[in-house]
């Protein structure tokens, strides 16, 4: 029943999860790990039975009385499912985890759904693989999870969503649906388009050119491997802010192309420099340790491409007493050697270099 | 003297390096490691003395008789310096390492320089930091190094460049100056512009939005941190192919923006899907282990953000007997935990997961 054996959890009552894919199964696993009862529903009975076997909850039944319902279905059917859940469970609070928020809220209001019990949310987490088998109890740990509050739901009711997020170990971020959608358009949807269109340029390129590609192009185009079907739904649901940002991007691009038409014309080189410098300013605003982080210096150490070598390197860096701030592996083309790019505080570079060289490591940069 | 004590090296005579920055110093260090005599010249006496102290060669003197001259100066002065070197050393073969090739060759021919002794080249290697102190003997190991051959130089003469490249451990790639310039426009220069313009969109964005950014945006904008001054020179020297590719990119972008104007119009969603799917096809052509490599499966393991933890993880993966194909570290926002994304062959995932969980590791995805 709805008794929660784990004193640490915030949620009290049982949770119904609709959609036992990656996100739904992960929600179920995370809540079960805290002893919270979970009822699983999915249009696919197979998904329900896999998620149940994994320990994400038990199959939903007619008599369930959930406190909270988490709708984790594809974006294009989310509003329909939320509407139905609100009607079927008149005492439950309902949230969804779709990556676009305003269209769903507007659609629910337009249909006369009881949005005093609905608040949309969006965990900034995912994996390359989908489906219940990819689900993990820890999927949301440390990830931002946006709650898109609105005026029609009371603070007290919405707090059930906050409890869900904190129980799953995520970081609660509050913003309006409009702010959220514009935010994800900028930090996720437009970068996806920019990356996909860049990767498209490779389709008909000569192999000799493509084979020269290094880490720069690989980074710019990594997300271009994403699922087209999902992105049609996301971009379709968030077309207004995505189009606005892409239009501003195109204005910069037009200016850039114009400057390249005659690079010796007065002001042309200055314009090119300004656009690149603007990129410097923009990228410096990104949080986290990745990217070219000015707080850290990077070194490249050559590592034989055999098991245990990288572990030995990191073990020895630990012995030397330097804290590794970041690590990336690069594999050079055509040779059995990897390049480990390590980030450390600038003060440590000289000593670390000396010590690693003394231990026989080759520093490649 | 021009005697080479190292039987393994291919180059016989001494090499004059003009420009003791990152690339020139690295060439010097790599050649000295093979026992080849190196003469260092630079407009800055400080650079020469630093590079000399590092062991990259000795300062050039008036009586030097180099077999080969490597010009490693900024792109916008490369043609001038090559021309002068060809005139000053009538018995030497001259190459340069600038990242754009056709303009230099055309310029030398237009000036009547003796291009029967010149062949341009381009090592696909670099570092975030420049200057002689960043130089490394191993900088070029395993990297492609393009030789842009042309009809005015004989096969025999050009072979000195091949020897240089092989002595430095790089992989020789032959293509015409036009092919090279178009190739690097596609795989390096256009991605730089695309990334910089994306990062520019972040300049005036609300912090709340920027703080939601994940690995996708960080990857797309990583190269946007590059030096504007250098890029003005590169883009200025390769403006024609860059403009052509950017124009094709803009045509796709225009179609994309148009499709987003009314995503419910007939064909609009299909067009969006086609552009994203085209990106899938393009990115699949990239060489190397990086990106979303279909040959490998990824797992995310949670690692405490303290020294030695990552080393312990990798050590234990080695003990389990699984070869790590790739590794990336992600730092979740606001928590003292890192996420290590490891790539292994798909067959190993199940066993590795079981063994790691048994050893107390948390698998986050």
């Amino acid at each position: 029943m709805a008794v929660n054996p784990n004193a640490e959890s915030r949620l009290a009552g049982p949770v119904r999860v609709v959609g036992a894919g990656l996100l739904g199964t992960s929600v179920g696993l995370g809540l079960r790990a805290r002893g919270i009862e979970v009822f699983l529903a999915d249009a696919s009975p197979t998904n329900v039975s896999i998620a149940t076997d994994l320990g994400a909850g038990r199959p939903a039944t007619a008599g369930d009385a959930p406190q909270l319902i988490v709708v984790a279905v594809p974006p294009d059917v989310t509003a329909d499912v939320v509407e139905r859940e609100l009607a079927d469970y008149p005492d439950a609070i309902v949230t969804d985890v779709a990556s676009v928020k305003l269209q769903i809220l507007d659609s629910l209001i337009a249909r006369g759904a009881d949005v005093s019990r609905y608040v949309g949310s969006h965990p900034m987490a995912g994996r390359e693989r989908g489906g219940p088998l990819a689900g993990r109890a820890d999927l949301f740990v440390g990830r931002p999870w946006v709650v898109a509050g609105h005026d029609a739901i009371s603070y007290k009711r919405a707090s059930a969503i906050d409890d869900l997020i904190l129980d799953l170990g995520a970081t609660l971020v509050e913003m309006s649906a409009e702010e959220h959608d514009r935010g994800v358009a900028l930090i996720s949807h437009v970068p996806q388009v920019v990356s996909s269109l860049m990767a498209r340029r490779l389709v008909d390129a000569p192999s000799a050119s493509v084979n020269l590609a290094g880490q720069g192009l690989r980074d710019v185009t990594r997300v271009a491997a994403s699922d087209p079907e999902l992105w049609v739904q996301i971009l379709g649901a968030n077309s207004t802010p995505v189009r606005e940002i892409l239009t501003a991007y195109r204005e910069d691009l037009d200016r850039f192309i114009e400057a390249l038409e005659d690079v010796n014309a007065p002001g042309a080189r200055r314009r090119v420099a300004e656009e690149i410098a603007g990129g410097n300013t923009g990228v410096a605003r990104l949080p986290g340790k990745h990217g070219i982080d000015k707080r850290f210096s990077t070194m490249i150490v050559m590592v034989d491409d055999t098991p245990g070598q990288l572990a030995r390197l990191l073990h020895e860096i630990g012995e030397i007493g330097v804290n590794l701030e970041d690590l990336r592996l690069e594999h050079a083309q055509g040779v059995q050697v990897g390049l480990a790019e390590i980030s450390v505080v600038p003060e440590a570079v000289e000593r670390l270099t000396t010590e690693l060289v003394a231990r026989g490591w080759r520093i490649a940069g």
Side-chain angles (χ1 to χ4, degrees), chain A:
Chain A
M1 275 305 305
V3 180
N4 166 22
N6 186 336
E8 275 186 41
S9 78
R10 292 163 163 267
L11 275 173
V15 174
R16 173 177 157 90
V17 174
V18 185
L22 165 66
L23 295 179
T25 302
S26 297
V27 168
L29 290 168
L31 294 178
R32 288 302 302 137
R34 291 194 164 261
I36 298 162
E37 206 170 358
V38 176
F39 312 137
L40 299 164
D42 195 299
S44 151
T46 308
N47 277 1
V48 171
S49 79
I50 293 173
T52 303
D53 286 352
L54 291 170
R58 66 152 171 82
T61 56
D64 293 340
Q67 177 206 358
L68 177 66
I69 298 171
V70 179
V71 173
V73 299
D76 61 351
V77 293
T78 297
D80 293 346
V81 175
V82 169
E83 183 186 18
R84 196 189 65 210
E85 295 293 320
L86 284 168
D88 288 355
Y89 296 89
D91 296 323
I93 309 296
V94 180
T95 191
D96 72 294
V97 296
S99 48
V100 181
K101 302 268 59 97
L102 187 61
Q103 196 180 70
I104 293 166
L105 179 64
D106 284 350
S107 165
L108 290 169
I109 291 170
R111 297 164 191 210
D114 179 9
V115 292
S116 76
R117 291 184 290 113
Y118 165 77
V119 60
S121 73
H122 180 210
M124 311 298 291
R127 300 190 63 198
E128 286 164 25
R129 284 182 297 154
L133 281 169
R136 302 284 174 192
D138 290 324
L139 185 69
F140 308 106
V141 173
R143 306 283 188 179
W145 188 320
V146 176
V147 176
H150 57 88
D151 291 338
I153 186 168
S154 70
Y155 178 78
K156 186 156 172 291
R157 282 177 165 181
S159 70
I161 318 293
D162 299 357
D163 291 343
L164 170 80
I165 291 169
L166 297 172
D167 275 350
L168 292 172
T171 304
L172 178 64
V173 178
E174 292 177 346
M175 44 177 71
S176 71
E178 292 89 340
E179 281 175 310
H180 168 272
D181 287 2
R182 202 167 170 85
V184 293
L186 178 69
I187 61 104
S188 169
H189 307 171
V190 168
Q192 176 65 48
V193 175
V194 161
S195 177
S196 292
L197 297 184
M198 179 67 239
R200 260 182 72 92
R201 293 291 104 226
L202 303 174
V203 173
D204 299 318
S207 294
S209 299
V210 176
N211 287 340
L212 294 179
Q215 196 53 38
L217 179 60
R218 279 195 280 261
D219 281 340
V220 172
T221 59
R222 190 179 63 86
V223 297
S226 303
D227 177 25
E229 212 171 305
L230 176 66
W231 276 99
V232 169
Q233 294 186 26
I234 293 173
L235 295 168
N238 203 26
S239 58
T240 304
V242 171
R243 199 184 62 233
E244 282 173 22
I245 299 166
L246 281 178
T247 302
Y249 180 94
R250 182 175 59 185
E251 283 167 19
D252 282 348
L253 180 59
D254 286 341
R255 262 197 301 277
F256 208 98
I257 291 172
E258 199 188 301
L260 290 182
E261 267 163 32
D262 181 5
V263 284
N264 297 316
R269 279 167 198 263
R270 184 178 49 75
R271 234 181 306 161
V272 169
E274 279 169 2
E275 298 282 341
I276 304 287
N280 290 176
T281 310
V283 79
R285 296 197 62 202
L286 285 177
K289 292 187 177 183
H290 275 277
I292 298 173
D293 191 321
K294 303 285 183 208
R295 293 171 303 165
F296 303 116
S297 299
T298 61
M299 304 172 46
I300 296 179
V301 184
M302 304 184 66
V303 182
D304 282 347
D305 203 1
T306 53
Q309 280 302 96
L310 189 62
R312 187 166 72 83
L313 170 64
L314 299 191
H315 178 71
E316 295 190 2
I317 292 173
E319 277 183 355
I320 295 165
V322 170
N323 195 16
L324 196 65
E325 300 294 340
D326 202 357
L327 172 68
R328 284 182 93 122
L329 269 192
E330 256 185 78
H331 297 268
Q333 213 190 359
V335 285
Q336 281 302 318
V337 73
L339 302 174
E341 183 185 298
I342 60 182
S343 300
V344 296
V345 289
E347 306 83 73
V349 170
E350 201 181 321
R351 187 165 63 87
L352 187 57
T353 305
T354 310
E355 295 256 11
L356 287 177
V357 169
R359 287 157 186 256
W361 293 99
R362 286 200 290 169
I363 312 295

